Amino acid sequence: MNVPIRPLVSASLILAVSAFVLAGAVADGGHYFPPVADKTTAEECGSCHLAFPPSMLPAASWRKMMGQLDQHFGDDASVDAATADLITRYLTSNAGDSSGLRFSGKLLRDLRPGEAPLRITELPRWKREHRKIRAAEWADPEVKSKANCAACHEGATRGYFDDD
Amino acid sequence: MSGHRFISTLLLALAFPALAVAGPRDELLTRYTSEARAADAGFSGFSAARGEALYRDRHAGGKPDTPACASCHANDPRKPGQTPTGKSIDPVAVSVSPNRYTDPAKVEKWFRRNCKEVLGRQCSPLEKGDWLTWMISQ
């Protein structure tokens, strides 16, 4: 029998690498949320704040948010229709209840079905994880805002939100 | 292809990237000029000094936490600014950010958003041209 060695070797290599990467994510205690990989989304969502990983919110949240970008937490963040459409598709298909599920499990665990929160910082799980942070620490000029994840989570831009 | 024509083509090809970078900024200024003239027949050109005043002045009408351009952009336009969520903003002066103002759609997007935040209204073509003129000189 003629066994196709090359595809088998490549497949095993790919599997081995993925297993290693995934094990890393799990070993991290569920604090890994893949960063935005789409260029337009990274640019548009990342110009004022960290481009939050899509798996941190359910698809319904992203749809709602993208439908009111002209009033985005008090700011006008509107984009043209084609750009909005592209970003919405990226965010919803990688949302915490879509393909981002394996990463967001814990963060979205306490949400009622159909709930579409807009602030990641108001997720019950987020609040619980940050309950020990004192008001003075939030008010630190280096922190400025709860949306400034990277002030404390050094690996935030790479998707790591460990307890630092 | 004759040698002469080849060299001309080559020179044109080499010059093109430079043109591509300088183009959009001139294109914007031309556009703001004709818009400013349409709004005011007495329009007599943009002013870097007015642009600087627009940048530094505290304005009423916008959001209370962002009364000036310099609320988020640095006082010195050659230095990076910072958003309210702590993210760094590339300097707005052309000398240190040579790629700025080369994408007209992006420029219009930020004028639309930021004028609303700071002034509570859209910027006039005169204000946009003044801003751009000051930034090009910086």
Side-chain angles (χ1 to χ4, degrees):
Chain A
M1 198 174 110
N2 195 358
V3 182
I5 295 293
R6 275 183 129 188
L8 276 178
V9 170
S10 326
S12 340
L13 265 175
I14 290 169
L15 273 175
V17 170
S18 331
F20 181 76
V21 171
L22 286 178
V26 172
D28 192 46
H31 289 120
Y32 176 69
F33 299 83
V36 171
D38 173 68
K39 194 173 166 282
T40 305
T41 309
E43 228 175 84
E44 289 295 344
C45 304
S47 41
C48 298
H49 53 68
L50 174 78
F52 302 111
S55 60
M56 286 189 168
L57 286 175
S61 297
W62 292 123
R63 261 192 294 274
K64 191 170 168 189
M65 198 175 307
M66 291 303 294
Q68 51 186 55
L69 270 191
D70 57 327
Q71 292 162 57
H72 188 66
F73 306 103
D75 287 339
D76 178 4
S78 56
V79 292
D80 62 83
T83 308
D85 194 49
L86 187 153
I87 296 173
T88 307
R89 266 183 287 135
Y90 177 77
L91 292 175
T92 51
S93 57
N94 292 281
D97 52 353
S98 307
S99 67
L101 184 62
R102 65 169 188 250
F103 299 108
S104 70
K106 274 186 185 168
L107 185 62
L108 301 184
R109 186 174 282 170
D110 306 318
L111 287 183
R112 287 185 305 275
E115 212 177 340
L118 293 181
R119 284 181 195 274
I120 294 164
T121 54
E122 275 167 19
L123 296 171
R125 183 80 192 187
W126 189 96
K127 289 205 239 178
R128 214 151 68 81
E129 293 269 343
H130 296 83
R131 68 190 182 281
K132 287 182 188 153
I133 314 293
R134 286 171 289 112
E137 292 177 83
W138 290 121
D140 187 302
E142 292 286 306
V143 178
K144 290 180 80 143
S145 154
K146 281 184 183 171
N148 187 5
C149 310
C152 304
H153 300 288
E154 257 178 55
T157 52
R158 284 174 288 113
Y160 293 98
F161 294 83
D162 322 70
D163 307 333
D164 294 290
Chain B
M1 191 187 274
S2 77
H4 188 74
R5 183 181 282 179
F6 173 74
I7 288 171
S8 317
T9 313
L10 185 71
L11 282 176
L12 197 67
L14 285 174
F16 196 71
L19 287 175
V21 171
R25 222 174 271 144
D26 296 336
E27 191 189 300
L28 270 170
L29 281 174
T30 311
R31 174 167 150 195
Y32 294 147
T33 300
S34 63
E35 286 177 14
R37 198 168 284 144
D40 172 16
F43 169 74
S44 61
F46 297 122
S47 141
R50 273 199 314 260
E52 179 172 6
L54 172 72
Y55 185 80
R56 299 197 186 285
D57 283 353
R58 292 173 69 85
H59 305 271
K63 285 171 57 181
D65 49 342
T66 52
C69 305
S71 307
C72 296
H73 300 295
N75 269 321
D76 176 356
R78 294 191 188 90
K79 297 264 165 63
Q82 206 185 38
T83 71
T85 63
K87 218 178 147 124
S88 175
I89 308 174
D90 288 342
V92 279
V94 170
S95 64
V96 278
S97 298
N99 290 325
R100 274 215 183 256
Y101 319 111
T102 55
D103 175 355
K106 192 172 173 183
V107 173
E108 279 293 295
K109 180 180 79 180
W110 286 106
F111 271 136
R112 177 169 52 76
R113 290 174 174 177
N114 293 349
C115 293
K116 196 160 138 190
E117 304 259 303
V118 173
L119 305 169
R121 60 168 172 80
Q122 287 308 304
C123 283
S124 66
L126 184 71
E127 287 167 328
K128 292 179 192 176
D130 287 346
W131 162 292
L132 204 53
T133 303
W134 189 52
M135 290 314 168
I136 290 171
S137 77
Q138 287 300 297

